[in-house]
Amino acid sequence: MPLGYTFAMIKPSACRKNHVGPILAMINQSGFRISAIRSTKLNKEEAEHFYEIHKEKGFYDNLCEFMSSGPIIALLLEKENAIEDFRTLIGNTNPCMAEEGTIRKMFAESLQKNAVHGSDSVENAKREADYFFNERERY
Ligand code: ADP
Ligand code: MG
């Protein structure tokens, strides 16, 4: 039985451009229930921790700079097969390659500023959700 939730984030660029409402509407319309939600801001160290899997990559420092540049929306999303279905809803990491109708196709500004994050595995969904939300914040 696939994990029934995933962790997602609306990135600083999409928050700055007031895309939060339309993105949340697409998430709900696609059958995800919002189990927890919070607006918060990562500092550079927190962004580095969140993306530590990419620390050897050339884009890492710039990515962490960007991810700590303004508020983000953290989301715990509930749905059967949530991880895979959310990755389908957001589309390819590179918006140029994302399918029509996906969140990244509609709201990404660039490969880095690609509007949203979605967990890529059960292990990461658990790790990321636990980092942002305690039990009392999940309904
Ligand atoms: P995804 O977010 O689709 O899981 P990755 O885990 O590969 O993609 O990368 C994490 C984030 O790093 C991406 O969402 C994007 O913001 C940024 N990123 C990935 N590859 C590049 C790149 N080549 N140049 C700049 N930023 C990148
Ligand atoms: Mg990833």
Side-chain angles (χ1 to χ4, degrees):
M1 171 73 176
L3 193 69
Y5 69 83
T6 191
F7 175 80
M9 245 197 274
I10 303 179
K11 298 188 179 185
S13 50
C15 290
R16 269 194 289 276
K17 292 214 157 175
N18 286 339
H19 290 147
V20 172
I23 290 172
L24 291 178
M26 283 180 72
I27 289 171
N28 277 155
Q29 280 153 15
S30 303
F32 293 87
R33 194 181 72 80
I34 296 172
S35 167
I37 180 167
R38 184 164 71 245
S39 175
T40 186
K41 188 173 178 294
L42 299 173
N43 62 33
K44 185 86 186 289
E45 291 67 37
E46 289 166 333
E48 285 169 359
H49 174 70
F50 187 82
Y51 278 118
E52 70 187 358
I53 190 168
H54 293 304
K55 64 170 177 272
E56 308 302 331
K57 310 263 174 66
F59 60 80
Y60 178 67
D61 192 60
N62 209 253
L63 173 66
C64 296
E65 201 63 59
F66 160 61
M67 287 302 294
S68 55
S69 69
I72 57 102
I73 304 288
L75 295 160
L76 185 63
L77 301 175
E78 195 181 292
K79 186 182 185 295
E80 215 175 278
N81 203 32
I83 295 170
E84 195 185 329
D85 286 0
F86 191 72
R87 297 287 303 196
T88 302
L89 175 63
I90 66 180
N92 195 282
T93 307
N94 187 341
C96 298
M97 291 160 69
E99 278 186 51
E100 286 301 328
T102 59
I103 292 177
R104 281 170 166 169
K105 182 72 178 184
M106 292 173 76
F107 298 108
E109 294 171 46
S110 66
L111 173 54
Q112 179 191 69
K113 297 180 172 62
N114 58 1
V116 283
H117 164 81
S119 305
D120 62 0
S121 65
V122 170
E123 186 192 2
N124 285 333
K126 285 188 171 138
R127 179 180 85 97
E128 294 168 1
D130 290 349
Y131 183 74
F132 281 90
F133 299 113
N134 64 37
E135 279 310 312
R136 289 197 57 215
E137 296 170 304
R138 304 173 186 212
Y139 296 99

